[in-house]
Amino acid sequence: MDRVRPPREALRDLSPYDAKHLEAEVMLASNENPLNLPGELLERLSDLAQRIPYNRYPDPMATGLREEIAAANGLEPSNVLVGNGGDEIIQDLVLAWGGPGRVVLDFPPTFVMYSIDAKATGSTLVQIPRRPDFSIDEEALKARLADGDVDLIFIANPNNPTGTLAPETLLIDVLNATDALVVVDEAYFEFSRHTMRPHMSRHANLAILRTFSKAFSLAGLRAGYLLAHEDVITELTKVRQPYSVNRFTQAAARLVFRERPVFEAAISQLLRNRDVLVHGLSEIPGVEVFPSEANFVLFRVEHASAVWRDLLKEHSVLVRDFSRTPGLEECLRVSVGTEDEVRRFLAAMEEIMTRRRAAAHFGVAGAHAGSEGE
Ligand code: PMP
């Protein structure tokens, strides 16, 4: 055959998630932990790697890891689902609670996988835009919930890419106002130190998503988990890929989870680096910084795309450009790096902004002709 019939209609207006996987000396685009695992854990992992029977399929439910996550959260293993990163669990949630004729709700600007998965599954996507300060529009939300047709709600808390934490009272109001499955995505929980876990016993419709990709330095291995009512977990096991979390990842995540106090010092250091980052950015004329409860900071700057390009091309600093995202016009997001990385980023921003101010003063559009609008 010289042609292939098209895929489902739902894919026509869909673009793939673009992780902007570029190389740079200073990588501050993906909210990763800037540090690899501590050396001692790396050594223990190499030992573990020698003893894995790679010819055998992994345990589909990651029993050992699941038990330890459950115990640490005061829950039963039946309340825990482990997945190939939070991304896979988001897809499982949409497969099970979304789909044609079902309504998925999110609050843009927010983590884009919610809407990508909703569209890919032919779900009806309802989006309630955040207010200009990126808080959730409670009145609009309550009005929408009153229709009674919402099946699945995603609330990233803190929100990515804005760093905003929703008030606990708002989240409780939502849980009371709907029987939709409410997923509170706590991917950045270890930085915000805020969780809805205490409310699980009263709300069967609350699910909490967490990841090993951020504070725990395992973005490269792919592991995340969901805490939820056991009936929710049972339904998700019907749609999930049985072997998505490989043996090595299970072993590594287990080791890291058991040793998680080791990460505390690095997390506290990152929070201090965030303060330096926020303060430094706020001192640069022409930059508006938004408060953040996570390991990244959103800021607004004129000609954001050109600034993004200058950071990469002239300073080898990679951040994320959100300037084409509705509600995030002229916004860039920078992850919190090491002290040295934060210093390099701030120095680069100062240099770029000083040059731009001088160029504007002399009537030149940007330091390099043609750099605008890229
Ligand atoms: N939720 C949020 C809010 C995120 O920012 C991310 C990662 N960017 C994820 C979930 C998924 O993370 P992972 O798949 O690496 O666990």
Side-chain angles (χ1 to χ4, degrees):
M1 193 53 63
D2 63 354
R3 63 182 184 280
V4 59
R5 63 175 64 191
R8 288 169 37 234
E9 182 71 16
L11 271 60
R12 208 183 45 187
D13 298 323
L14 212 56
S15 317
Y17 177 76
D18 182 1
K20 301 269 183 335
H21 202 80
L22 300 167
E23 289 297 324
E25 286 170 23
V26 181
M27 304 278 279
L28 300 176
S30 298
N31 305 340
E32 298 142 334
N33 189 322
L35 302 173
N36 197 356
L37 293 176
E40 194 242 324
L41 290 191
L42 283 179
E43 271 169 36
R44 285 168 67 187
L45 262 188
S46 332
D47 287 348
L48 277 172
Q50 303 287 322
R51 284 184 273 118
I52 287 177
Y54 291 100
N55 56 322
R56 303 293 179 196
Y57 283 103
D59 171 354
M61 292 307 285
T63 307
L65 177 58
R66 193 185 191 211
E67 283 172 357
E68 290 187 37
I69 292 170
N73 285 282
L75 295 165
E76 295 301 319
S78 55
N79 299 122
V80 180
L81 182 74
V82 177
N84 186 281
D87 282 348
E88 187 196 24
I89 298 174
I90 293 168
Q91 188 177 54
D92 292 341
L93 285 159
V94 178
L95 282 172
W97 260 261
R102 310 266 301 183
V103 175
V104 178
L105 176 65
D106 75 358
F107 306 91
T110 190
F111 187 45
V112 74
M113 289 313 299
Y114 312 142
S115 54
I116 289 182
D117 288 341
K119 289 178 196 164
T121 52
S123 316
T124 302
L125 175 65
V126 173
Q127 300 199 289
I128 300 183
R130 286 170 182 262
R131 299 193 189 104
D133 66 354
F134 303 127
S135 61
I136 290 173
D137 185 339
E138 207 168 339
E139 288 71 46
L141 169 58
K142 282 191 179 150
R144 190 61 186 76
L145 289 179
D147 291 352
D149 63 341
V150 176
D151 297 295
L152 176 61
I153 303 176
F154 284 105
I155 306 177
N157 206 44
N159 187 41
N160 175 17
T162 63
T164 326
L165 198 63
E168 193 166 299
T169 46
L170 181 147
L171 299 176
I172 293 169
D173 284 354
V174 174
L175 288 163
N176 283 324
T178 180
D179 64 353
L181 180 58
V182 180
V183 181
V184 178
D185 183 343
E186 296 183 356
Y188 301 95
F189 155 67
E190 292 82 8
F191 302 102
S192 76
R193 307 191 194 274
H194 185 276
T195 179
M196 286 298 283
R197 160 69 192 93
H199 301 284
M200 280 182 69
S201 56
R202 277 188 304 282
H203 299 283
N205 58 337
L206 169 62
I208 295 173
L209 184 65
R210 304 247 183 91
T211 181
F212 284 87
S213 298
K214 310 298 178 184
F216 297 128
S217 296
L218 286 187
L221 280 193
R222 317 302 300 125
Y225 62 94
L226 190 78
L227 308 176
H229 192 282
E230 61 179 272
D231 294 346
V232 172
I233 304 291
T234 302
E235 295 305 318
L236 294 172
T237 58
K238 296 178 185 173
V239 298
R240 71 182 287 270
Q241 290 284 325
Y243 302 119
S244 60
V245 187
N246 68 65
R247 278 183 183 271
F248 185 69
T249 298
Q250 288 188 29
R254 211 171 155 183
L255 176 67
V256 161
F257 194 74
R258 210 175 289 160
E259 299 294 338
R260 63 193 180 288
V262 166
F263 292 82
E264 275 307 317
I267 292 169
S268 299
Q269 181 63 53
L270 286 171
L271 293 178
R272 286 195 292 277
N273 297 355
R274 182 182 70 196
D275 291 343
V276 173
L277 181 57
V278 168
H279 180 72
L281 272 175
S282 67
E283 299 265 281
I284 301 175
V287 175
E288 180 189 5
V289 196
F290 297 99
S292 170
E293 298 290 334
N295 66 335
F296 54 82
V297 174
L298 188 78
F299 61 99
R300 183 166 273 144
V301 58
E302 223 179 279
H303 307 300
S305 288
V307 171
W308 178 88
R309 200 211 60 143
D310 289 353
L311 280 168
L312 181 62
K313 299 278 188 262
E314 292 166 15
H315 300 271
S316 198
V317 175
L318 183 65
V319 301
R320 193 68 71 91
D321 183 0
F322 281 97
S323 59
R324 285 177 202 83
T325 301
L328 297 180
E329 292 75 16
E330 303 286 42
C331 282
L332 303 179
R333 187 196 68 196
V334 56
S335 308
V336 179
T338 61
E339 284 172 280
D340 188 49
E341 288 171 330
V342 168
R343 245 192 313 271
R344 269 189 73 170
F345 165 76
L346 287 174
M349 277 300 292
E350 269 163 32
E351 191 279 322
I352 291 166
M353 295 303 287
T354 305
R355 181 159 41 82
R356 292 192 148 264
R357 270 197 307 280
H361 185 72
F362 291 109
V364 185
H368 299 287
S371 72
E372 302 302 323
E374 283 173 27

